[in-house]
Amino acid sequence: MSTQTDTALSGDTRHEGGPFLVTNRLILSIAVPMTLGFLTTPLLGLVDTAVIGHMGDAILLAGLAVGAVIFDLIFTTFNFLRSATTGLVAQAYGRGDPTEEQAVFWRSLAIALVSGVVLALASPLLLWLGLLVLAPGAEVEAVTRTYFFWRILAAPASLANYAILGYVLGRGQGTLGLLLQTLINGVNIVLSITLGLVLGWGVAGVAIATMIGEIAGALIGFLLVFSRFDRRFRPPLARLRDPAQLKKLFSLNRDIMIRSFVLLATFLLMTRVGTGFGPVTLAANAVLMTIFMVAGYYLDGLANAAEQLTGRAIGARFRPAFDRALKMTAVWSFALAALTTLLFFLIGNWVVETLTTAEDVRAVAKIYLPWAAITAITGSLAFLMDGVFIGATWSRDMRNMMVAAFLVYLAAIAVLVPAFGNHGLWAALNLFLVCRGLFLLRLVPRRSAQAFAAQ
C-alpha cells in the first residue's frame, strides 16, 4: 500500500494510484495545513470588521456587511469551480492518471477566467440586484456601492483561485494550499489595515486590499502549480475538449452551483430578515456571523481531508479506504466542533469587544452570542458530509438535500422569527445546519454501496 505525502513544495512528480492506508497522520497532513490556511479567511473578516468597527459608525459596518453578503452570493455561487475540481482531481489521482489531473485543471481554469470576466462586465446589474433584494437603506447602500466598485475588479482572479485551490486539494497538497491561502489573505490583511485604517481610506481601502490580494494569489498560485506539472503527461487539446469529460464537469458544476446558490440564499435571507431589526442588530449579526465563519473554516480543513481521501478511494476502487476515511474524519470533526464551541463560550464576549467599539452593537451581539457559538456543533456533520459528497462527486444528492434543508429553514423562519425575533432567526440557522448533515448522512450507505459495486 502507498502512503500519501505532500509533494507540493518539493516539486515531486510521482503519481500515486491504487489501494492506500488511511491514517491519522495522513488525515492531519491535509486537514491541519488547510485549517490553518482557511483560518486566515475569517481572520481577514475579523480584521476588516475591526478596521471599520473601530470607526465607531454602525452605518459603515452595516454597509460592509451588506457588500460582503453580495460578494458571498456571487462568488460562493461559483464555488463549484473549487469543489468539482477537487473531486475530479482526487479520483484521477486515485486511479494514477496524471494526464487527467492536468486536464481537469485546465478545463476549470478556463471556465474560471471566462466567468470572472463576465461577472466584471455584468457588475452594474449584479449590484443593482443585490441592493434590490437586501434593501439596506440609502446610507448603508452608499457604503456598499463603494466597496463593490473596487472588489468586483478582481473577479477573474478570485475565480481562478478557486480552480487552483481545487487542483491542490484534489492532490492532497495541504502545505501548498496553506501557502496560497496565507498569501492571499496575508496580503489582504496587511493592506486592509494600511489602506483602511492607517491611511484612512475606510471601506474603499478594505475593498482595494481584497482586490490586490486575490490578484497576487492567482498569479503566484498559477506559477507554483504549473511549474510542478510533469510535461510527460501534458494533455493534448483533444483531451481537454473531450465531450464526455466536459459533460461530466458541467454536470457537476451545475449541481454544485445550485447547491451553493441555495446555501448563499440562506445567508442572504438571514441578512434580509436582520435588516428588519434595524442597523444595530444587523451590525451585531454581522459580528456574530464572523464567529460562525471561524467555526466553519476550522471544520473545512477536515472536510477537505474527507474530499481528497474519499475521492481518491473511489478512484482507486478501494472501499476500505473510503469507510476508514469517513469514520476517522468524523471523529476528528466532532471533537474539534465541541472544542470550538467551548472556546467561543469562554472568550466570545472578548471577541465581540475586539471587533467593534460601538457600544450598542456590542450589547446586542452579546445577547445572541450563544447561538453563534453552537454553530460549530450543529454544522459539523454538514461540513463533513459536504466533503464526502464532493470527493465522491455525488453532486445531485448534494443539490437535492440542500434544497430540502432550505425548505425546513424557510418554515422555521416563518414560525420562529415572528415569535422570538432575532433569537428565532439564529435558531432557524442552526436547524438548517443540522438538517443538511442528517439528510446527506442518510444517503451515504446506499450511495457508497452503489459506487463500489459498479466498480
Side-chain angles (χ1 to χ4, degrees), residues 287-436:
V287 171
L288 295 177
M289 283 301 290
T290 303
I291 292 177
F292 166 68
M293 296 302 290
V294 169
Y297 284 109
Y298 265 118
L299 298 173
D300 252 351
L302 285 163
N304 291 148
E307 288 176 29
Q308 203 278 336
L309 295 174
T310 55
R312 182 181 173 188
I314 287 178
R317 303 185 179 186
F318 191 54
R319 177 68 183 267
F322 179 92
D323 292 339
R324 186 172 172 84
L326 178 59
K327 292 176 183 178
M328 295 179 70
T329 53
V331 171
W332 280 105
S333 181
F334 292 135
L336 184 58
L339 289 174
T340 302
T341 292
L342 177 62
L343 177 66
F344 281 121
F345 271 116
L346 293 175
I347 67 168
N349 287 340
W350 173 80
V351 172
V352 169
E353 292 175 359
T354 301
L355 289 175
T356 178
T357 58
E359 290 298 332
D360 50 354
V361 176
R362 283 179 172 179
V364 173
K366 290 177 182 179
I367 293 173
Y368 303 105
L369 176 62
W371 289 112
I374 66 171
T375 55
I377 293 177
T378 58
S380 58
L381 182 60
F383 283 101
L384 179 64
M385 287 296 101
D386 277 353
V388 171
F389 278 69
I390 287 170
T393 61
W394 297 332
S395 59
R396 181 177 299 180
D397 290 326
M398 290 184 65
R399 178 197 67 194
N400 293 344
M401 294 306 99
M402 179 65 77
V403 172
F406 183 70
L407 293 177
V408 174
Y409 176 68
L410 291 178
I413 285 180
V415 173
L416 297 177
V417 171
F420 302 104
N422 202 45
H423 283 293
L425 182 59
W426 277 96
L429 176 65
N430 279 279
L431 179 61
F432 167 75
L433 294 172
V434 171
C435 287
R436 277 179 57 202

Side-chain angles (χ1 to χ4, degrees), residues 88-360:
L88 293 174
V89 169
Q91 292 184 20
Y93 183 70
R95 292 193 303 271
D97 186 356
T99 301
E100 183 58 23
E101 291 177 34
Q102 294 187 31
V104 172
F105 172 79
W106 290 117
R107 295 184 197 114
S108 297
L109 184 63
I111 294 173
L113 294 175
V114 172
S115 299
V117 171
V118 171
L119 285 179
L121 294 175
S123 59
L125 175 61
L126 295 173
L127 177 59
W128 177 78
L129 288 173
L131 294 175
L132 179 66
V133 173
L134 293 173
E139 290 180 307
V140 174
E141 178 180 322
V143 176
T144 300
R145 286 184 178 277
T146 299
Y147 180 78
F148 187 92
F149 172 80
W150 289 106
R151 188 172 172 185
I152 195 63
L153 297 178
S158 298
L159 298 188
N161 282 323
Y162 286 174
I164 293 168
L165 184 60
Y167 174 82
V168 168
L169 293 178
R171 285 185 51 81
Q173 297 175 326
T175 304
L176 181 55
L178 169 61
L179 174 64
L180 295 179
Q181 289 298 109
T182 303
L183 170 68
I184 294 169
N185 294 321
V187 169
N188 199 337
I189 287 170
V190 171
L191 290 181
S192 182
I193 295 172
T194 303
L195 300 179
L197 199 59
V198 177
L199 297 183
W201 292 6
V203 171
V206 169
I208 293 171
T210 302
M211 176 185 68
I212 295 174
E214 293 286 354
I215 293 172
L219 292 174
I220 296 175
F222 174 80
L223 291 175
L224 288 173
V225 169
F226 180 72
S227 67
R228 287 163 175 79
F229 280 163
D230 190 331
R231 296 187 178 183
R232 294 175 299 167
F233 303 105
R234 179 181 297 171
L237 184 59
R239 181 157 183 173
L240 296 179
R241 298 186 299 188
D242 180 14
Q245 294 299 330
L246 286 173
K247 181 179 179 180
K248 183 177 182 179
L249 178 59
F250 280 112
S251 177
L252 285 172
N253 288 345
R254 178 201 64 214
D255 292 338
I256 297 175
M257 181 174 67
I258 294 171
R259 170 258 183 200
S260 298
F261 184 82
V262 174
L263 178 61
L264 259 295
T266 301
F267 300 126
L268 176 67
L269 182 59
M270 185 168 184
T271 301
R272 182 66 183 88
V273 174
T275 61
F277 301 130
V280 173
T281 299
L282 177 62
N285 283 349
V287 171
L288 295 177
M289 283 301 290
T290 303
I291 292 177
F292 166 68
M293 296 302 290
V294 169
Y297 284 109
Y298 265 118
L299 298 173
D300 252 351
L302 285 163
N304 291 148
E307 288 176 29
Q308 203 278 336
L309 295 174
T310 55
R312 182 181 173 188
I314 287 178
R317 303 185 179 186
F318 191 54
R319 177 68 183 267
F322 179 92
D323 292 339
R324 186 172 172 84
L326 178 59
K327 292 176 183 178
M328 295 179 70
T329 53
V331 171
W332 280 105
S333 181
F334 292 135
L336 184 58
L339 289 174
T340 302
T341 292
L342 177 62
L343 177 66
F344 281 121
F345 271 116
L346 293 175
I347 67 168
N349 287 340
W350 173 80
V351 172
V352 169
E353 292 175 359
T354 301
L355 289 175
T356 178
T357 58
E359 290 298 332
D360 50 354

